[in-house]
Amino acid sequence: MQSTRSVAGFWIIAALLLVSLASSAVPSPIYPVYAAEWHLTPLMLTAVFAIYVAGLLASLLVAGRLSDHVGRKPVLVAGGIGLAVSLGLFAVADGLGALILDRVLQGVSVGLLIGALGAALIDNSLERHPTLAGVLNGAVPPIALATGALSSGALVEWGPAPEQFVYLLFGVLLVLMLVALVVVPEQVTRRPGALRSLRPTIAVPRSSRRLFRGVAGSLVASWALGGLFLSLVPSALGAIFGIDNHFAAGALIAVVTGVGAATGIAIQRLDARVGVLIGLVALILGPVVTVGFVFAHSLPGLVVGSAIAGVGFGAGFQAPLRMLLATAAPTHRAGLLSTIYVVSYLAFGVPAVIGGLLEPTVGLVPVIAGYGAFIVLAAGVALVLQLASKDAAEVEEHASEVLERTATGSIRTAAAAD
């Protein structure tokens, strides 16, 4: 019988994952305020976006496997403290330099957290619902992005102190989550190699490599779409549709991420490969519909396209994630998750930076169209590879069996630790 402490630990880890990733989306709806107040150009805002992704990727590459050696909780505490400090610094930021410094620290801290949090969630799997950890690993990130964007947009538009209050709110929530880690049992036994694990590397266990090659295109397309909506599409609301309401930008992001989260939950009982195929089809249709209605200046059509894209964002990321996590042993989970996020955030950040650099000379609408074409191309190639793969069904069946066994093993370990 699983102990109350272990069950509570599972939900504390899930809540910390939600708050951490939600806080990373908080600055996006506030960028127009910074731009007006500090006279920031689109190129400067692109630099702020890029520096966050760079810090996150550097952290993932260097410390992505650290929690597999020293334990989850030390890494979570370090990352959580860094993220809380970055939120405090945002609240007192007074210019571009401070904004860049804050985003670097935020990116490094989130990079420390996400691999360890995802692995800790599986380590503390619930006895009654052993597959829920895998579902939440895929569902929580889009829910978090929706929560952060909506909260920030609403507070900036209608709340007090738009450049301070939302950061302080998430900072307090984060500190409460860090204190609650006292309850969470540590499931990882310290083992040698912590310093060696800090060498920048991409770590994919041998058991996961074939599947990783097969689903990498889906990860790229889904997170590139996320980058499009977080970096450029909100700007289209003001430039093309004349909407300057900050909540509207957060709400549009929430359409994509919220539908993505709901999709991930809805497909959890489906064969994961079917989920991948659904995601890839939506990743082709969503950008086409979205860009088409941007050209047509149709706001309702833009919302419809965003919802279709959200299906792709959810299924295109969560189904491959579920399959991959099932193939990794407990001692390789954090490293594999970090590698997944390295690929995902490269796809999230690099096209957005290129788009930001091109926008002043090419124009916003052509950049959005080119960005959408890249997503469609990546999803199309991935779809062809999935349809041509003869062994994908066999890999998925094996992955499901492994997931059941590893989740059960984690529960037994938790019971012994308690």
Side-chain angles (χ1 to χ4, degrees):
M1 186 70 178
Q2 191 172 10
S3 71
T4 303
R5 183 186 175 200
S6 182
V7 173
F10 176 85
W11 291 111
I12 289 169
I13 291 296
L16 180 55
L17 180 62
L18 175 67
V19 173
S20 300
L21 292 180
S23 70
S24 72
V26 164
S28 293
I30 310 179
Y31 284 158
V33 177
Y34 295 142
E37 183 175 336
W38 300 333
H39 308 290
L40 304 183
T41 66
L43 185 59
M44 291 175 180
L45 291 177
T46 298
V48 173
F49 181 85
I51 204 70
Y52 166 77
V53 176
L56 188 147
L57 289 173
S59 181
L60 283 171
L61 287 170
V62 172
R65 298 178 295 156
L66 185 60
S67 75
D68 288 332
H69 295 270
V70 303
R72 311 298 186 209
K73 290 171 74 172
V75 175
L76 295 182
V77 170
I81 291 173
L83 186 54
V85 171
S86 76
L87 292 171
L89 292 174
F90 271 118
V92 297
D94 58 359
L96 178 62
L99 203 58
I100 289 176
L101 175 63
D102 299 347
R103 283 297 261 176
V104 170
L105 181 57
Q106 188 180 47
V108 170
S109 301
V110 171
L112 271 176
L113 285 167
I114 53 178
L117 281 169
L121 204 58
I122 297 175
D123 294 343
N124 292 278
S125 293
L126 296 180
E127 182 177 352
R128 293 186 178 181
H129 305 284
T131 60
L132 182 60
V135 173
L136 290 182
N137 259 313
V140 169
I143 291 174
L145 292 176
T147 302
L150 276 177
S151 301
S152 180
L155 289 172
V156 170
E157 187 65 30
W158 299 302
E163 296 170 57
Q164 290 84 33
F165 182 72
V166 66
Y167 295 120
L168 297 177
L169 174 63
F170 274 92
V172 169
L173 289 174
L174 186 62
V175 170
L176 292 175
M177 292 295 99
L178 290 177
V179 172
L181 285 176
V182 174
V183 177
V184 181
E186 177 62 77
Q187 310 292 1
V188 174
T189 303
R190 288 175 176 265
R191 60 191 180 97
L195 289 178
R196 286 198 306 273
S197 75
L198 297 177
R199 289 181 301 179
T201 185
I202 297 292
V204 179
R206 186 179 299 275
S207 59
S208 307
R209 289 175 188 171
R210 181 175 61 173
L211 180 60
F212 189 88
R213 288 192 295 268
V215 299
S218 184
L219 299 175
V220 168
S222 59
W223 279 85
L225 183 139
L228 171 64
F229 275 87
L230 263 75
S231 63
L232 293 179
V233 170
S235 300
L237 289 177
I240 298 171
F241 298 97
I243 298 174
D244 297 322
N245 185 290
H246 300 296
F247 180 73
L252 189 62
I253 294 171
V255 168
V256 177
T257 54
V259 170
T263 300
I265 294 170
I267 66 169
Q268 63 175 296
R269 296 187 181 278
L270 286 179
D271 179 282
R273 185 172 183 245
V274 174
V276 173
L277 295 176
I278 290 172
L280 290 171
V281 170
L283 284 167
I284 293 171
L285 293 177
V288 170
V289 173
T290 299
V291 172
F293 282 115
V294 167
F295 275 104
H297 290 205
S298 170
L299 184 60
L302 175 63
V303 175
V304 171
S306 300
I308 297 172
V311 173
F313 181 62
F317 174 64
Q318 294 177 56
L321 181 68
R322 197 172 91 205
M323 295 166 71
L324 285 167
L325 288 176
T327 63
T331 53
H332 294 120
R333 283 175 187 155
L336 175 60
L337 270 167
S338 296
T339 299
I340 291 170
Y341 278 113
V342 165
V343 172
S344 299
Y345 272 95
L346 278 172
F348 178 79
V350 172
V353 172
I354 293 173
L357 292 172
L358 291 176
E359 190 271 338
T361 54
V362 176
L364 181 60
V365 173
V367 167
I368 290 176
Y371 205 144
F374 168 74
I375 296 167
V376 170
L377 177 62
V381 171
L383 181 60
V384 170
L385 291 176
Q386 280 295 311
L387 293 175
S389 175
K390 296 180 180 180
D391 58 356
E394 177 186 338
V395 171
E396 159 62 9
E397 182 180 353
H398 171 68
S400 299
E401 294 173 358
V402 174
L403 179 60
E404 192 75 29
R405 290 199 302 270
T406 54
T408 302
S410 295
I411 293 164
R412 289 172 180 165
T413 302
D418 290 331

